[in-house]
């Protein structure tokens, strides 16, 4: 195939973590969760406003801390889409997401695999799981709190430079 010369296509997405401390009211520790785990958390990659990204991002691999069982988690868009079949729009999963519990912060390696026809190489992102708000000032810390949650989200734009014609069609027709 040929590349579309002089064209750059951008697709926005969000990645990051959301953490919530276990307490006695709104985030009760399930009985199966070890006693030293202080938080439930999730790491995700998704579209802005949950817009579909599965047509250009086909797989996300999250590499968690080695202390976590089965620390390499691979999610395929195809599998998620199959699980979505027959579900009402409001219940469809639109994110690549891993839900976990634990006690410590660490760096998560996020590997992005693009649509096969894009012929793009996988790309690696690094994201620090935040369980506790951080910052130099109370305002900075407060900005990370969202209700009882600690959010560390990054807005990013994926750029496709001179995409192949077939992929360009997919990108521009949805
Ligand atoms: C620290 N460098 O010492 C970090 C390591 C590891 C976090 C944090 C284990 C969860 C599980 C967990 O939370 N590990 O056992 O499933 O703070």
């Amino acid at each position: 195939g040929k590349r579309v010369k002089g064209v750059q296509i951008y697709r926005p997405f969000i990645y990051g973590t959301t953490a919530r401390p276990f307490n006695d009211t709104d985030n009760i520790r399930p009985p199966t969760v070890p006693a030293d785990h202080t938080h439930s958390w999730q790491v995700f990659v998704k579209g802005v406003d949950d817009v579909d990204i599965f047509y250009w991002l086909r797989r996300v691999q999250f590499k968690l801390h080695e202390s976590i069982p089965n620390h390499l988690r691979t999610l395929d868009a195809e599998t998620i889409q199959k699980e979505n079949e027959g579900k009402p729009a409001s219940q469809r999963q639109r994110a690549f997401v891993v839900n976990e519990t634990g006690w410590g912060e660490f760096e998560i390696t996020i590997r992005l695999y693009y649509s096969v026809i894009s012929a793009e190489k996988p790309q690696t992102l690094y994201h620090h799981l935040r369980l506790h708000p951080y910052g130099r000032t109370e305002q900075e810390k407060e900005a990370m709190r969202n209700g009882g949650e600690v959010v560390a989200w990054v807005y990013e734009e994926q750029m496709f430079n001179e995409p192949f014609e077939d992929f360009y069609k997919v990108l521009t027709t949805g």
Side-chain angles (χ1 to χ4, degrees):
K2 278 195 306 186
R3 288 186 175 274
V4 186
K5 295 286 172 204
V7 165
Q8 272 125 31
I9 306 255
Y10 293 86
R11 287 292 173 267
F13 67 101
I14 311 174
Y15 67 93
T17 53
T18 305
R20 184 172 267 278
F22 286 124
N23 55 44
D24 297 328
T25 50
D26 56 347
N27 193 24
I28 298 163
R29 179 200 317 274
T32 50
V33 170
D36 63 341
H37 287 198
T38 54
H39 291 73
S40 59
W41 55 265
Q42 65 169 225
V43 57
F44 65 85
V45 176
K46 64 179 187 177
V48 177
D49 295 328
D50 290 327
V51 82
D52 181 37
I53 57 172
F54 295 148
Y55 66 95
W56 61 266
L57 193 59
R58 94 185 142 87
R59 171 181 296 159
V60 177
Q61 187 176 66
F62 299 96
K63 192 171 167 229
L64 311 177
H65 193 267
E66 285 174 20
S67 60
I68 298 170
N70 185 20
H71 74 286
L72 212 57
R73 309 287 175 91
T74 307
L75 299 176
D76 281 297
E78 208 184 320
T79 310
I80 301 168
Q81 282 169 314
K82 277 216 182 85
E83 286 166 2
N84 279 341
E85 272 170 26
K87 286 189 185 164
S90 63
Q91 282 169 37
R92 283 179 210 146
Q93 179 61 265
R94 291 185 176 79
F96 296 90
V97 57
V98 168
N99 287 289
E100 263 303 339
T101 64
W103 49 264
E105 301 186 343
F106 56 90
E107 186 171 73
I108 301 172
T109 304
I110 305 173
R111 205 150 161 78
L112 305 179
Y113 295 82
Y114 304 97
S115 159
V116 171
I117 61 165
S118 76
E120 298 282 342
K121 283 191 228 109
Q123 186 187 314
T124 304
L125 305 171
Y126 300 94
H127 187 76
H128 197 84
L129 166 64
R130 297 286 177 189
L131 301 182
H132 311 283
Y134 71 99
R136 285 161 302 169
T137 63
E138 276 312 309
Q139 278 117 311
E140 280 181 7
K141 289 184 190 171
E142 207 43 53
M144 286 185 75
R145 285 201 186 92
N146 178 7
E149 295 180 331
V150 176
V151 295
W153 297 359
V154 178
Y155 289 76
E156 188 59 273
E157 280 194 345
Q158 177 65 53
M159 197 253 281
F160 297 106
N161 188 38
E162 301 197 333
F164 285 104
E165 280 174 347
D166 286 353
F167 186 49
Y168 177 78
K169 273 187 208 132
V170 170
L171 284 172
T172 52
T173 58

